[in-house]
Amino acid sequence: MQMNNNTDNQLHKSGGCFPSILGFIVGFYTLGPIGGIIGAALGSYLGGNYTRKDTEFLGTTHRQKDFSSSLLVLSAAVMKADGSVKKSELDYVKRFFLTNFGQEQAEKFILTLREVLKQEINLSEVCQQIGRYMDYSSKLQLIHYLFGISAADGQVDSSEVDVIETISHYINIYTSDFESIKAMFVKRVDDAYTILGIDSSATDDEVKKAYREMAKKNHPDKVAYLGEDVRKAAEKKFQEINDAYDRIKKQRGMV
């Protein structure tokens, strides 16, 4: 796996005194695989003193830390899938943390991500941990975000899709929901139906029911606690669902 040499080189300069949060992460996740991966990534930054404040680059609430830590590890897995980590992908991830936590915390996150990228990631173990604590709507948003990373360079590589599909399977996302999110990034002729989780043979009543169910599962309010950038991404996903429904209604002359 090869890193792009032009990617955020300035971040390396601030890493030497970065306080270790290994003890906190290990305690926070009770030695879980995510905590182990992040802890190992921070090993080179170990220092004698650190405080809970040093973990704010992962979020300020328990659930934000859960989501951000999962995003960090799974982002690395997707970014490594095609054998080359691109600047556009790192920039995409950095924007999320820049919006939610500011420049300093975003830089700490990217420094940690760079170290995670060097590690082997056991997706099965990581995803089992995610499956135990993350609600379904947040899992859907996580998959949507991972597709956003994949598409950051202007194309969705098949190897990255394979990794995201594996993650989706491990965290128990329904196939129809995975295909719905995938269709928002990998366009096909019948993508409007796929986004709603149905096929073109569905009746009008089935179309309406599918839309209501998708809208309920993917409503932005369900992930608002994860931060403004996540909510904005959720709104975009929600709009894709609405647009798909509008296209089908127009094609069918539905009211």
Side-chain angles (χ1 to χ4, degrees), residues 102-162:
Q103 182 72 26
E104 181 182 358
Q105 305 301 348
E107 290 184 356
K108 289 178 180 179
F109 187 92
I110 294 298
L111 280 168
T112 308
L113 176 59
R114 284 181 176 277
E115 295 300 319
V116 173
L117 283 163
K118 299 174 184 177
Q119 297 186 47
E120 294 295 324
I121 298 171
N122 187 318
L123 280 180
S124 177
E125 291 183 356
V126 167
C127 291
Q128 283 179 24
Q129 185 176 353
I130 292 170
R132 287 195 296 269
Y133 66 72
M134 190 175 291
D135 64 86
Y136 195 76
S137 292
S138 297
K139 291 177 185 178
L140 291 176
Q141 194 57 40
L142 186 60
I143 295 298
H144 185 269
Y145 202 89
L146 294 176
F147 266 111
I149 293 172
S150 177
D153 61 350
Q155 61 182 10
V156 180
D157 188 88
S158 60
S159 59
E160 294 171 336
V161 173
D162 289 344

Side-chain angles (χ1 to χ4, degrees), residues 1 75-85 157 159-161 163-164:
M1 193 272 299
S75 293
V78 171
M79 292 163 73
K80 294 198 299 181
D82 63 357
S84 175
V85 177
D157 188 88
S159 59
E160 294 171 336
V161 173
V163 170
I164 299 172

